[in-house]
Amino acid sequence: MKSILLCLYLFTLGSRGANIPTELDSNGAEDASAKLNDKSIISKRAVGTHNTDSLYKLNLSPVCFSARGNQFATVTMPFTGKLAAMKLIHRYGYVTCHRHNPVGWSHWGCGHLKDYVNVVITTSRNIIILPPDQFLKFNHQAGKWSKVPGYGADSHELILSFFTSPRSVRRGQQLRVWYGEDLMGWTEGDNGGRVCFDVYGSFV
């Protein structure tokens, strides 16, 4: 009798042990693997005072552009959606429109033009999408200088937003960040420097 009871007890323990999960089910494993392997989305964080839903960091390490020589920065869209704005945060380096002038060095333009920036964002075919045309219309338009409200040549960060509605982008699409005079080949002979920064995309 004792032998029978002992066998029943061991059988019950074995049945319970069989129900203990030892690994993710197939769907869970695939979801986890997809998240770990999706390196294009580096991070997500709340925007705070910026009037959009969320920011996604678009680079693993700082990206850079130079003020001459067709040297632009490239970022890749992490998914298909609506891009409302792009935020650039200065990390290191300086650029200038007049390398022989010690006061010319800046983060986003030229030191003696403190209220203006010379940063433009284009498609892979160099079609300008930011800043909006409304900010580009003044005396130095040929070099794509702009006056962006709230920002200047020495700002630590620069936010460029679409003027009326977000722009549709697709996963894997590349955008370029240029020094405007370098993009246009306009009086870039005396330009100099290289600036590096982090890039965030605001999607709605």
Side-chain angles (χ1 to χ4, degrees), residues 92-197:
Y92 55 88
Y94 298 91
V95 286
T96 180
C97 63
H98 192 350
R99 67 179 183 274
H100 303 298
N101 186 344
V103 301
W105 298 96
S106 70
H107 293 166
W108 311 115
C110 210
H112 67 282
L113 296 172
K114 293 188 179 297
D115 294 333
Y116 299 93
V117 298
N118 196 221
V119 175
V120 292
I121 297 173
T122 75
T123 66
S124 59
R125 295 184 177 182
N126 294 335
I127 298 172
I128 296 174
I129 62 172
L130 285 171
D133 288 341
Q134 290 85 346
F135 300 153
L136 290 167
K137 295 178 179 178
F138 77 108
N139 291 339
H140 299 294
Q141 185 178 1
K144 299 306 175 185
W145 288 84
S146 60
K147 193 166 186 179
V148 181
Y151 301 97
D154 292 321
S155 297
H156 175 64
E157 65 180 40
L158 174 64
I159 296 178
L160 300 175
S161 303
F162 290 99
F163 206 85
T164 54
S165 59
R167 182 183 180 90
S168 296
V169 295
R170 66 182 184 279
R171 179 183 175 90
Q173 180 179 351
Q174 291 189 334
L175 298 181
R176 297 174 174 180
V177 187
W178 287 84
Y179 194 77
E181 289 191 353
D182 185 33
L183 170 65
M184 303 306 295
W186 191 73
T187 67
E188 66 173 293
D190 58 349
N191 292 359
R194 181 171 181 262
V195 66
C196 300
F197 46 92

Side-chain angles (χ1 to χ4, degrees), residues 41-42 56 60 63 66 71 107 121 135 153 158 170 172 177:
I41 300 177
I42 311 304
Y56 288 83
L60 282 168
V63 295
S66 297
Q71 298 183 50
H107 293 166
I121 297 173
F135 300 153
L158 174 64
R170 66 182 184 279
V177 187

